[in-house]
Amino acid sequence: MGVTTTGTASPGAAPADPALRARPQQTRDTVWWFDALREHRLLIQRCTGCGRLRHPVGPMCPACRSLDWDTVEASGRGSVHAFVVSHHPQLPGFDYPLVTALVDLEEGTRLLANVVGCDPSEVRIGSALRMEWLDIDAERAFPQFRLAAVPA
Ligand code: ZN
C-alpha cells in the first residue's frame, strides 16, 4: 500500500520493502507525533508560553522552559538544508543510493527525511522539496520528500 520508493536502484532490481525498516523508538513524550504521522499529519510542536516552534518534539520548551504546548500542522513545503548520499551500510528496507536530507520546513523547523524519486546528483543545498507520505503498514507512515518541480 502507499507510495513505493522509486529512484536509482539498479535497473531490474526490485525496490526494497519498507516494511523491513527498523521501527523508531517512541516514548510517552513522542508517541503523539508518530500517531499523527499515521493520519498523514506532520505536526510541529509549539510552545504556548513563548510561541517557539520546536523539533524534535519534547516535553519542555528549550527557550522558556514551559511545559505547555500545542501543535501546528506543517505544509509539507521545504528545502534542503544539508544532505548525505548513503551507499553503505545498506539497511533493510531502503533503496540505495539513499538520500537523507535535513529539511528546512517553511514553518522554520528542521526535519530529517529521505529524498526519493530522483538521481542523488540532482539534489542541491537549497533545492525546493515537497512532502509525500510513505505508508508502510497500519502502524507506520512517514513523510518523505521529492524535489519540487521547477517552473520552466
Ligand atoms: Zn517557550
Side-chain angles (χ1 to χ4, degrees), residues 102-152:
L102 186 58
V103 178
D104 282 324
L105 296 177
E106 69 174 7
E107 288 80 10
T109 57
R110 291 180 179 145
L111 176 75
L112 271 177
N114 295 126
V115 179
V116 301
C118 65
D119 187 290
S121 67
E122 299 175 75
V123 181
R124 297 282 186 275
I125 303 293
S127 292
L129 299 171
R130 62 179 172 80
M131 183 179 67
E132 64 180 29
W133 291 97
L134 173 64
D135 290 309
I136 296 178
D137 53 33
E139 298 176 2
R140 290 180 291 171
F142 295 103
Q144 62 184 12
F145 288 83
R146 289 182 188 263
L147 294 175
V150 178

Side-chain angles (χ1 to χ4, degrees), residues 29 32-33 43-47 52-60 69-72 109:
D29 291 321
W32 62 268
W33 190 77
L43 297 181
I44 302 171
Q45 199 171 23
R46 176 175 57 192
C47 174
R52 178 176 166 150
L53 300 179
R54 64 181 188 259
H55 188 84
V57 301
M60 181 181 286
W69 54 271
D70 62 6
T71 61
V72 296
T109 57

Side-chain angles (χ1 to χ4, degrees), residues 3-111:
V3 176
T4 301
T5 301
T6 59
T8 56
S10 303
D17 180 359
L20 299 175
R21 297 181 186 186
R23 291 172 185 275
Q25 293 282 338
Q26 297 181 34
T27 69
R28 285 188 302 176
D29 291 321
T30 64
V31 67
W32 62 268
W33 190 77
F34 291 98
D35 287 347
L37 295 184
R38 281 202 302 272
E39 301 168 354
H40 289 186
R41 297 162 62 226
L42 177 59
L43 297 181
I44 302 171
Q45 199 171 23
R46 176 175 57 192
C47 174
T48 52
C50 71
R52 178 176 166 150
L53 300 179
R54 64 181 188 259
H55 188 84
V57 301
M60 181 181 286
C61 176
C64 75
R65 301 190 178 188
S66 172
L67 295 173
D68 299 322
W69 54 271
D70 62 6
T71 61
V72 296
E73 187 165 347
S75 69
R77 289 183 295 272
S79 61
V80 175
H81 181 81
F83 69 101
V84 294
V85 181
S86 303
H87 298 268
H88 296 281
Q90 295 196 348
L91 302 174
F94 293 93
D95 291 309
Y96 289 85
L98 176 68
V99 180
T100 303
L102 186 58
V103 178
D104 282 324
L105 296 177
E106 69 174 7
E107 288 80 10
T109 57
R110 291 180 179 145
L111 176 75

